[in-house]
Structure formats: structure tokens, C-alpha cells
């Protein structure tokens, strides 16, 4: 059985395991993926699946009345996946806790059959038990700044002809997790990579990215995030972990959300005529 067939069976298993109050919603090409999950035979699955290496099933897992949810990208041509934690007004400390939990559970489920299914089978119950009150953690973060938080934040922007390889996408996820960076990648044509974090960690990330083979990779900038007139780092929002986008418009919207849209617009990303 091919890898895409196995991945689709895993998606079917995840869908069938949902309990009342748990919702699986496809973010892109919803009609296609709903039809795909409805295929019952191995031949039907093989005929239905896309052959494109970049094919990705992107869905959310949400619980009724819970402000935190998972966004999951499943790379159909490989055994890779990317789980992001989303939430309404989620604090940085809470975001980091969830990412640590995901990494720990990924290690525990490594090597088992249908690893994403087993991973979510452990994570979703924890989501049910997640406390809703973030006030205590928010106060703690405000009064106990760490050394890393006192350091200037640096950011980097890459562009390339394309970003399709699932191997590269897994590497980006792994590096940003290990180096405690946040940011996003825009897959397809063109490729865009944006990341931020501590200077030393970001420089290592830049070196890693440049060490891979690319077509027309350009480092647009590596610099400290500018400060506004109050002396604070310029940002209206917070980047949460590592995300993937498929459209340039999503890149612009995300940069606008954190108050940095000029960094992509000045590079011609999102301007008239861009992909």
C-alpha cells in the first residue's frame, strides 16, 4: 500500500475516533477531503488521492466551548505531520507548554503504526482537561521576565522560487522547535520563510536553511525587530509556534496581525502581481 493510502486511512481512523463535542474541520479543499475520507476500498482510495508531492491535508481539531484547539497538517506523500496549537488570547507560556507536551508525546509514539492517530489520541483528552483560566500564568509572565525575554528579538525573512519538499518542511518544523523559534512558511510558489527568536538561535536556523539545496533562495534580512517609540519591540500580536500557509495573502495577513506587514510589502510580497 502506498504512503498516501496509509495516510488517508489514518485520517479516516482519526475521524472515526472523534467523541461527541469534538470536531474535525478541513481548512482547505474541504469538499475534496470529505469525499476522500468517504472512500471505502483500497482501489477507490488510490484513484482518489492526488499525486502531487506537495499535497497536504490541513484540518483543525476543536472541542466545544474550549478556547484552545489543534491545527494539523498531514503530508500525504510522507510520514510527516505538523501540529500547531491555536487559541484565543493564548499566552506565550501556555503556547510553550503545549509545544513541549506535543514534542514529548511525539517521542513516545515514534515508530508505532498510525503515529498521528496515536498522538492525537493522547493530546485530545488533555485538551478536554485544559484549564480555561490563564490569569495566573499571565501575571507570572509579567512579573518574572526571563533572561531570554530581556534580550532583543531578531527575525529573518527568506524567499525562494518554491517550497514544496516535505523533507524541507519537516526540517523547518524540527529546527524551529529545537531552537525555540516561532514563525511560518508559505509553501508552493513562491516559497516564503519567516522566523523570529533569540539572535544566536536564529543565526543557527539561518545557517541550517542555507545549507539545504534551493532554487533562487534569498535572505531578505536578518536583523533585530525594530522597537516602537515606547522602546518595546514593535508587535500588535504574537507569533504562535510554527505555521504553514499556502497563499501569499495569508502571509500578509499574519504579518499585519503582528504589526510587521511592511517587512513583506517592501519586498514585493503581497503586492500587485505577486503569486
Amino acid at each position: 500500500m502506498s504512503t498516501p493510502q496509509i495516510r488517508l486511512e489514518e485520517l479516516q481512523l482519526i475521524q472515526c475516533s472523534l467523541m461527541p463535542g469534538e470536531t474535525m474541520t478541513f481548512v482547505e479543499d474541504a469538499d475534496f477531503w470529505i469525499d476522500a475520507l468517504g472512500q471505502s476500498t483500497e482501489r477507490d482510495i488510490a484513484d482518489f488521492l492526488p499525486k502531487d508531492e506537495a499535497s497536504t491535508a490541513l484540518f483543525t481539531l476543536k472541542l466545544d466551548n474550549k478556547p484552545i484547539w489543534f491545527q494539523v497538517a498531514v503530508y500525504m506523500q510522507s510520514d510527516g505531520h505538523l501540529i500547531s496549537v491555536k487559541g484565543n488570547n493564548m499566552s506565550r507560556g501556555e503556547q510553550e507548554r503545549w509545544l513541549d507536551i506535543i514534542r514529548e508525546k511525539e517521542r513516545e509514539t515514534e515508530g508505532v503504526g498510525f503515529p498521528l492517530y496515536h498522538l492525537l489520541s493522547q493530546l485530545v483528552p488533555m485538551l478536554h482537561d485544559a484549564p480555561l483560566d490563564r490569569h495566573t500564568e499571565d501575571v507570572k509572565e509579567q512579573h518574572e521576565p526571563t533572561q531570554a525575554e530581556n534580550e532583543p528579538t531578531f527575525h529573518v525573512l527568506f524567499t525562494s522560487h518554491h517550497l514544496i519538499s516535505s523533507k524541507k518542511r519537516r526540517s523547518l518544523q524540527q529546527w524551529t522547535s529545537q531552537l525555540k523559534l516561532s514563525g511560518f512558511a508559505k509553501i508552493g510558489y513562491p516559497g516564503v520563510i519567516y522566523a523570529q527568536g533569540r539572535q544566536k538561535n536564529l543565526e543557527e536556523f539561518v545557517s541550517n536553511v542555507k545549507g539545504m539545496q534551493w532554487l533562487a533562495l534569498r535572505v531578505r534580512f536578518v536583523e533585530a525587530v525594530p522597537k516602537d517609540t515606547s522602546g518595546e519591540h514593535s508587535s500588535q500580536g504574537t507569533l504562535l509556534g510554527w505555521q504553514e500557509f499556502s497563499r501569499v495573502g495569508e502571509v500578509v495577513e499574519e504579518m499585519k496581525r503582528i504589526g510587521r506587514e511592511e517587512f513583506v510589502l517592501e519586498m514585493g510580497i503581497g503586492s500587485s502581481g505577486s503569486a
Side-chain angles (χ1 to χ4, degrees):
M1 186 180 296
S2 69
T3 297
Q5 289 173 288
I6 295 173
R7 299 321 304 270
L8 188 56
E9 286 195 3
E10 188 168 26
L11 288 174
Q12 291 173 327
L13 192 59
I14 292 169
Q15 184 185 53
C16 292
S17 70
L18 296 178
M19 302 294 288
E22 300 173 358
T23 305
M24 178 181 184
T25 304
F26 286 95
V27 178
E28 298 176 349
D29 301 321
D31 292 340
F32 170 83
W33 290 110
I34 291 172
D35 289 343
L37 291 184
Q39 307 307 307
S40 57
T41 69
E42 185 173 321
R43 180 169 182 174
D44 288 339
I45 292 173
D47 292 340
F48 205 88
L49 281 171
K51 305 302 187 292
D52 181 7
E53 182 186 0
S55 61
T56 302
L58 182 65
F59 64 90
T60 59
L61 273 179
K62 295 185 176 183
L63 276 60
D64 290 349
N65 303 318
K66 286 287 185 176
I68 302 173
W69 64 91
F70 298 126
Q71 179 170 292
V72 185
V74 180
Y75 308 134
M76 301 302 294
Q77 298 291 339
S78 72
D79 59 357
H81 62 261
L82 173 63
I83 301 180
S84 303
V85 184
K86 307 288 185 178
N88 301 322
N89 302 317
M90 182 183 294
S91 70
R92 179 172 297 180
E94 189 172 14
Q95 170 75 14
E96 291 179 351
R97 278 197 304 274
W98 274 107
L99 293 177
D100 286 342
I101 290 171
I102 291 172
R103 286 192 289 266
E104 178 184 353
K105 296 302 180 182
E106 284 177 332
R107 289 191 292 269
E108 293 177 2
T109 56
E110 186 176 359
V112 304
F114 297 126
L116 180 59
Y117 162 73
H118 288 286
L119 176 60
L120 292 175
S121 295
Q122 296 186 48
L123 291 176
V124 172
M126 298 178 70
L127 204 58
H128 278 281
D129 298 333
L132 299 181
D133 184 12
R134 305 187 186 91
H135 176 72
T136 301
E137 179 61 30
D138 291 341
V139 171
K140 181 179 178 181
E141 289 183 356
Q142 292 172 10
H143 289 85
E144 298 182 11
T146 65
Q147 180 180 1
E149 289 172 337
N150 289 327
E151 295 179 7
T153 300
F154 276 68
H155 60 167
V156 61
L157 177 69
F158 294 93
T159 59
S160 66
H161 178 265
H162 63 269
L163 174 53
I164 296 176
S165 166
S166 56
K167 181 179 180 180
K168 288 180 179 176
R169 291 158 64 184
R170 286 197 303 272
S171 294
L172 293 172
Q173 177 194 8
Q174 181 181 9
W175 292 334
T176 54
S177 174
Q178 292 173 345
L179 297 170
K180 298 187 180 301
L181 304 176
S182 55
F184 58 80
K186 184 267 172 191
I187 62 176
Y189 299 82
V192 179
I193 302 169
Y194 179 81
Q196 71 170 33
R198 300 176 63 183
Q199 181 178 6
K200 181 180 179 180
N201 294 353
L202 195 72
E203 289 173 348
E204 182 176 342
F205 175 73
V206 171
S207 177
N208 290 344
V209 173
K210 292 169 69 175
M212 295 190 291
Q213 292 185 342
W214 296 90
L215 179 60
L217 179 71
R218 296 180 61 187
V219 182
R220 298 303 188 109
F221 57 77
V222 183
E223 61 187 19
V225 175
K227 294 184 178 180
D228 58 26
T229 55
S230 66
E232 299 294 331
H233 290 297
S234 176
S235 175
Q236 297 173 352
T238 302
L239 285 169
L240 300 178
W242 184 253
Q243 303 182 76
E244 283 192 345
F245 302 126
S246 59
R247 294 185 293 272
V248 169
E250 293 175 291
V251 172
V252 176
E253 284 300 313
E254 179 68 1
M255 294 297 278
K256 183 177 181 180
R257 184 185 69 81
I258 63 174
R260 301 177 195 166
E261 68 270 27
E262 71 275 8
F263 289 101
V264 293
L265 296 177
E266 289 175 358
M267 301 297 171
I269 301 171
S271 60
S272 177
S274 63

